[in-house]
Structure formats: structure tokens, C-alpha cells
Amino acid sequence: MARTGVTTAGRGVAVARPDVTRCELGVEASAPSVGEALAEAQRALVALRAALLDAGVLADDLRTTATSTWTSTSGEGEARTDVAHAQLGLRALVRSVDGAGDRSEE
């Protein structure tokens, strides 16, 4: 019985300099209520977005991602404390790879 098809074997390497950086960023805030925590996290996200725009990231290259809220409780009885937490995510596509990490500490 004759075999049909194409059989190949090979090995190769591709090397390319990165031309973009994808960043997953986020902010988190805690407050007495979920509404306050969300408002505080939103203010921080607006500041983060502004810093990215100032650094040359294009507005079209920014996307919000996850939003998460939860509460935590500590203590018991009259010493019980409830705290609300909010977390917001932002994805950035940085097209200028050179120096992309220079502002990561800001």
C-alpha cells in the first residue's frame, strides 16, 4: 500500500525585537462602604489613565478590565469592623517599548 502525503522535518529559530508592551494594571481602594471604595478606586484609575496618556500611550490603546468588590470583617461584637474593597483593572498597549519600564515606579 502506497503512502501519500508530505513529510517534513526541520528546525528553526525566529528572533525579533519586541515592538509593543502589554501591561495589566490595577488600582484598589478600601472604605466604609462599597460606593465610597468604588469612588476612590475610580479616582485612582482616572489618575493612572492620565499618567499613561501623559507618557504617550494612545487613548485607543487603553481598556478597562475587571471590576471587583468585596467586604472584609474583623473583630466581634462592638469591636466588629466591616470594610468594603474595590478593585479596578486597566489594560494598556504601550507602542514605544524603549523606556516602557522607566515610568513603572511612578
Side-chain angles (χ1 to χ4, degrees), residues 65-92:
T65 58
T67 298
S68 181
T69 60
W70 70 96
T71 57
S72 62
T73 303
S74 62
E76 295 181 14
E78 291 185 29
R80 179 183 163 138
T81 304
D82 294 326
V83 177
H85 308 274
Q87 194 173 56
L88 303 174
L90 184 67
R91 180 176 295 135

Side-chain angles (χ1 to χ4, degrees), residues 33-98:
S33 73
V34 171
E36 290 172 293
L38 277 169
E40 189 174 324
Q42 180 64 30
R43 283 190 291 275
L45 193 68
V46 167
L48 175 59
R49 186 177 188 280
L52 290 166
L53 292 170
D54 287 348
V57 176
L58 303 174
D60 286 345
D61 290 339
L62 297 174
R63 297 282 183 266
T64 56
T65 58
T67 298
S68 181
T69 60
W70 70 96
T71 57
S72 62
T73 303
S74 62
E76 295 181 14
E78 291 185 29
R80 179 183 163 138
T81 304
D82 294 326
V83 177
H85 308 274
Q87 194 173 56
L88 303 174
L90 184 67
R91 180 176 295 135
L93 179 65
V94 180
R95 294 180 187 275
S96 174
V97 177
D98 294 332

